[in-house]
Amino acid sequence: MPADFREQHSRHDPKKGPLSRFTIIDASRVRAGPTAMRVFADMGARVIKLEIPPGAPGGDDMIGGRDHNRADYENLHRNKESLTLNMKDPAGLEILRELVTRADVFIENFRPDVKDRLGIGYEALRAINPRLVYASISGFGQDGPYARWPGFDSIAQGMGGLMSVTGKPGEGPMRVGIPIADLCSGHFCAQAIMTALLEREASGEGQWVQTSLLEAQIAMLDFQAAQWLVDGKVPQQVGNEHPLTVPTGVFPTKDGYLNLAAIGNSMFARLCEALGLQHLVGQPGYESDPARVENRDAVNEAVSEQFLTRTTREWTDVLIKIGVPCGPIYKINEVFDDPQVQHLGVAWPASLPGKGDVAFVGTPFRLSRYPRAEQPRLAPEQGEHTQAILNELGYSDQQIGEWRSAYVV
């Protein structure tokens, strides 16, 4: 096979982004893995997404597929290429091996036993390309008693403790309104891949990086986990309030709601002055965060009465000026109408056939020497780049046509 595949895509191209020298083979599905790959694709890496050939057994009917939710699919798979490939076929496996010899990263989220059965496990691909960074995302880890359990975001939220501390007291466990275990495991995986690529610059060797929905969810517990691991305290549900500081949370105003985070004694004192409640400062039961937590209902009742006297905007203007964190609570449409959100350019303009001018949520960091492209490349149609990629690898049009007929590609 020609060597120019790697030569064409291993050189840094500042016009394409800071990660343009990397080629990634994406064998992951659903959300966690594609989320990790979106980070690389947005930064210019060549991400080749593997899909099951049309008509082949075992076609993808999972949530997040192109026909299930076009908006979600476009947002998740922008800036990527699509290669249809049947890895269960010997010819398809041989094509994958050719790709791997030229790739920097391979990512998958098969159950641990499946990839070895297919012949695409870490050791098998490492033997082909010792510089390969092999990334795995699973539901519960690559080994252990739950290794073969199917992974799903809401299950990880429950087993990872998040649902036990989400929601109002006494109302039972509550799932978070986004697939946070999927998303966080994807971003942690991207960090791990970046780390391994940096290490490879020193050692010259790739390695196997792993994360799971369960581990990612537990990591996101943060101080809630520390309450148990360090202090032996089991955190409970507190609704919109903060478990360790009062007053925080959602308070009704004259025309809506205010989100408040008055943390610490000095901030509480400034809040009380703004509310005309100076007499509470230093009183028993109000003198510290721990005391206010013990006296939560009384503190909240006192400040709530005052918040009802003005609008959310009026209170926001007053409290921000004196350094008390607060803000409105938006519906999703209101988020993108906010002047600060518009100033930051969070929405990434795009043009979508059949819908016209739309936008996606851009990667939430920026680099001073690599401004974001004016528009992302739309998510690829299934197999859109199959012909071109296989031609790059040196396969003839005739051979590719035969493989299409046999559902190899």
Side-chain angles (χ1 to χ4, degrees), residues 143-214:
D143 45 35
Y146 304 156
R148 296 194 180 189
W149 282 25
F152 202 77
D153 175 84
S154 60
I155 308 304
Q157 287 194 35
M159 295 180 67
L162 179 63
M163 292 172 65
S164 75
V165 294
T166 303
K168 295 182 178 180
E171 293 189 358
M174 178 64 68
R175 181 178 65 85
V176 172
I178 59 172
I180 190 169
D182 279 340
L183 297 174
C184 289
S185 61
H187 285 293
F188 285 141
C189 184
Q191 292 178 34
I193 293 170
M194 294 282 194
T195 302
L197 288 172
L198 284 171
E199 194 277 338
R200 190 180 72 173
E201 294 181 0
S203 68
E205 296 184 16
Q207 57 186 300
W208 189 7
V209 301
Q210 307 170 23
T211 190
S212 67
L213 272 63
L214 182 62

Side-chain angles (χ1 to χ4, degrees), residues 58-96:
D60 189 359
D61 61 354
M62 295 294 289
I63 292 173
R66 179 179 287 99
D67 296 330
H68 179 81
N69 187 328
R70 182 75 185 191
D72 183 31
Y73 189 89
E74 291 286 350
N75 189 53
L76 192 57
H77 296 293
R78 65 193 185 220
N79 293 320
K80 301 176 185 179
E81 299 176 34
S82 172
L83 168 68
T84 49
L85 189 66
N86 184 357
M87 291 182 285
K88 295 181 180 179
D89 187 286
L93 187 57
E94 184 57 34
I95 294 170
L96 177 64

Side-chain angles (χ1 to χ4, degrees), residues 100-161:
V100 166
T101 63
R102 297 156 171 81
D104 298 284
V105 178
F106 178 86
I107 180 172
E108 57 82 27
N109 62 346
F110 297 109
R111 289 201 313 271
D113 57 313
V114 172
K115 53 180 163 283
D116 290 325
R117 189 166 67 244
L118 291 174
I120 60 170
Y122 170 63
E123 293 297 339
L125 298 193
R126 179 178 179 273
I128 300 171
N129 180 1
R131 288 177 53 81
L132 184 73
V133 173
Y134 188 110
S136 294
I137 301 180
S138 61
F140 300 94
Q142 296 298 308
D143 45 35
Y146 304 156
R148 296 194 180 189
W149 282 25
F152 202 77
D153 175 84
S154 60
I155 308 304
Q157 287 194 35
M159 295 180 67

Side-chain angles (χ1 to χ4, degrees), residues 283-408:
Q283 277 195 21
Y286 296 80
E287 73 275 15
S288 66
D289 270 327
R292 289 189 289 274
V293 169
E294 290 294 323
N295 200 29
R296 182 185 299 271
D297 290 344
V299 176
N300 285 338
E301 183 178 353
V303 299
S304 291
E305 291 180 2
Q306 299 304 311
F307 281 130
L308 289 171
T309 62
R310 297 187 186 183
T311 67
T312 298
R313 181 58 184 268
E314 289 172 333
W315 280 122
T316 301
D317 290 343
V318 168
L319 297 180
I320 291 297
K321 287 180 182 178
I322 61 173
V324 176
C326 66
I329 297 173
Y330 288 148
K331 297 176 182 177
I332 302 300
N333 60 309
E334 295 171 325
V335 170
F336 292 98
D337 286 339
D338 184 271
Q340 183 65 26
V341 174
Q342 293 182 351
H343 172 78
L344 292 172
V346 174
W348 195 356
S351 181
L352 192 60
K355 287 185 175 292
D357 293 336
V358 296
F360 303 124
V361 179
T363 298
F365 61 83
R366 62 195 69 218
L367 304 177
S368 63
R369 289 192 290 109
Y370 292 93
R372 187 174 69 190
E374 288 188 9
Q375 290 195 354
R377 285 185 291 117
L378 295 181
E381 294 298 324
Q382 187 176 24
E384 179 179 338
H385 304 92
T386 297
Q387 188 81 24
I389 292 170
L390 294 180
N391 284 155
E392 285 183 70
L393 292 174
Y395 297 112
S396 68
D397 290 346
Q398 179 180 350
Q399 177 67 83
I400 297 168
E402 292 174 1
W403 281 334
R404 287 188 189 277
S405 297
Y407 302 115
V408 174

